[in-house]
Amino acid sequence: MNNLFDEAFAKIAEANTIAISSHINVDGDALGSSLGMYHHLKNIGKNVDIFIDSVIPENLRSLPSVEEINNKKFKDYDLVIFTDAADEFRLGANKNLVHEYELKSVQFDHHEVNTRFAKTNIVCVMSSASELVADYLFYTDSAITQDMARCLITGMYTDTGKLSFSSVTPKTFSVISKLLEESGINIETVTYPLYNSVTKKEFEVRKLGYSKIEFYDDDQIAIVALSYEDICKLDIELFMTKSLVDLALPLKTIKVVALMTEFTPNTVFCSFRTKGNVSAKRLAMVYGGNGHPNAAGCKMRRCIFEAEKKGVIENAKKLIKGTL
Ligand SMILES: [Mn+2]
């Protein structure tokens, strides 16, 4: 890892103009890692633009310099940096940067399935891309400003379910501790905006989500299925439905949760969550999707919603039995 950090450091030192990008449907880690890097590069005097193909969720809109995202026109860059994207398709409309800057790109990512699409691929499995960016900043003895700390801790908090997932290691805590210490910020400047910014519409979506939960197989399986009609009634964005997959997860008996959202007619976005050694990834792969052991997803095209829903329930039952 240190060799790669040295390589990135040399490339950044040589570059004056730098573009940063991260993945579609941004989450706290995509924004935290890319904006954390943005603040670092600005701090060392670089000319930096940031492009992300996504709507910004309400609770992340107070991150420092979030308004700079997509605020500039593309120009020629000396270097492009990608964060938190496992493959080029995750960059959405910005994936052309991968080919245009084939020889002048660095990526920071923490997904095991990363396709190594950049020239310098800093890929290491850990809690979050934000933790990896923090590692880089510490390794290169960079100054840690309040803005950097806020962004990076946001990424680490959100990608780990408030530091509760198995991906959290002792180092994750020491990185947070060091970021707090060096920047002098209080943790509440990160957590308060994150967890107290739910909009009324998102609340309505949650209410709908609770009303749509169906249980199967002695309450081991829960499914939340939102039809295109449901989506139209509330006039919602796809990212607002994301958290619905977690609603049934705290139930003691649950082993598999599926969220199925027919966001456009006959196209269904699915998220799966599982507990213990029941594999969400295995279920997603049946439908050409992918993911992590306990969190995975897939997209179904040209499908009949009700039929797919029945299919998912059947496959979830097989998954629990170990016959999928
Ligand atoms: Mn991430």
Side-chain angles (χ1 to χ4, degrees):
M1 193 55 50
N2 291 352
N3 290 345
L4 289 171
F5 282 162
D6 288 331
E7 197 176 311
F9 183 79
K11 283 187 171 174
I12 289 170
E14 274 173 20
N16 286 316
T17 56
I18 301 175
I20 300 176
S21 189
S22 192
H23 67 74
I24 49 171
N25 304 324
V26 280
D27 54 21
D29 190 32
L31 282 183
S33 57
S34 58
L35 284 172
M37 182 51 81
Y38 174 88
H39 286 290
H40 162 64
L41 296 174
K42 288 292 248 191
N43 201 40
I44 57 171
K46 305 295 176 182
N47 188 328
V48 200
D49 295 343
I50 179 163
F51 304 98
I52 301 178
D53 181 11
S54 180
V55 177
I56 311 289
E58 192 66 35
N59 66 337
L60 298 169
R61 284 192 193 163
S62 64
L63 281 175
S65 296
V66 83
E67 69 284 353
E68 290 300 318
I69 295 171
N70 305 328
N71 195 27
K72 300 276 169 57
K73 287 215 167 87
F74 284 102
K75 51 180 186 250
D76 251 340
Y77 297 99
D78 300 326
L79 184 68
V80 175
I81 297 177
F82 304 107
T83 71
D84 201 29
D87 60 54
E88 60 191 84
F89 303 103
R90 294 285 289 150
L91 300 166
N94 295 314
K95 98 172 153 46
N96 58 316
L97 290 172
V98 172
H99 302 287
E100 280 172 41
Y101 291 88
E102 216 171 6
L103 303 173
K104 300 191 284 187
S105 59
V106 174
Q107 69 156 326
F108 292 84
D109 186 38
H110 69 118
H111 297 97
E112 201 178 359
V113 293
N114 187 287
T115 58
R116 268 98 180 148
F117 58 85
K119 180 71 181 162
T120 302
N121 297 291
I122 306 178
V123 179
C124 189
V125 175
M126 60 177 77
S127 78
S128 53
S130 297
E131 182 177 337
L132 184 57
V133 169
D135 281 346
Y136 169 80
L137 298 183
F138 294 145
Y139 177 76
T140 55
D141 262 329
S142 302
I144 305 294
T145 63
Q146 299 200 347
D147 288 347
M148 289 175 215
R150 269 193 66 189
C151 294
L152 296 173
I153 296 173
T154 295
M156 294 170 73
Y157 250 72
T158 51
D159 249 26
T160 58
K162 303 182 190 173
L163 301 174
S164 70
F165 296 165
S166 61
S167 57
V168 173
T169 62
K171 182 174 80 67
T172 310
F173 283 99
S174 65
V175 166
I176 289 179
S177 158
K178 214 167 157 191
L179 287 169
L180 290 173
E181 206 170 337
E182 294 197 11
S183 68
I185 62 164
N186 185 288
I187 194 73
E188 203 187 37
T189 61
V190 173
T191 52
Y192 192 89
L194 265 183
Y195 303 116
N196 295 280
S197 307
V198 179
T199 60
K200 185 72 190 293
K201 186 168 264 184
E202 284 169 313
F203 239 95
E204 294 298 332
V205 175
R206 274 188 208 180
K207 279 167 66 181
L208 176 71
Y210 272 111
S211 74
K212 291 275 176 179
I213 300 176
E214 293 172 21
F215 295 104
Y216 297 92
D217 227 16
D218 297 325
D219 301 336
Q220 293 186 97
I221 299 167
I223 182 159
V224 178
L226 301 180
S227 67
Y228 183 61
E229 205 188 332
D230 296 323
I231 300 287
C232 291
K233 261 189 229 154
L234 279 184
D235 181 31
I236 48 185
E237 305 272 359
L238 187 61
F239 76 86
M240 292 176 183
T241 64
K242 227 169 152 180
S243 65
L244 301 185
V245 72
D246 299 321
L247 295 182
L249 216 49
L251 185 69
K252 198 172 175 180
T253 50
I254 283 294
K255 290 189 175 152
V256 181
V257 180
L259 167 67
M260 298 181 71
T261 311
E262 188 182 23
F263 197 69
T264 52
N266 308 110
T267 300
V268 179
F269 293 86
C270 299
S271 296
F272 303 119
R273 295 288 183 274
T274 54
K275 285 186 190 163
N277 49 19
V278 178
S279 171
K281 184 174 168 174
R282 192 172 180 83
L283 184 56
M285 281 170 72
V286 171
Y287 301 97
N290 211 328
H292 302 280
N294 295 118
C298 65
K299 192 172 169 181
M300 299 167 173
R301 290 170 221 266
R302 289 187 288 279
C303 62
I304 295 164
F305 188 56
E306 283 304 318
E308 295 294 352
K309 191 179 139 186
K310 280 189 190 127
V312 165
I313 295 162
E314 286 316 305
N315 282 327
K317 285 180 183 171
K318 284 186 197 161
L319 184 71
I320 290 170
K321 265 193 236 146
T323 58
L324 187 70

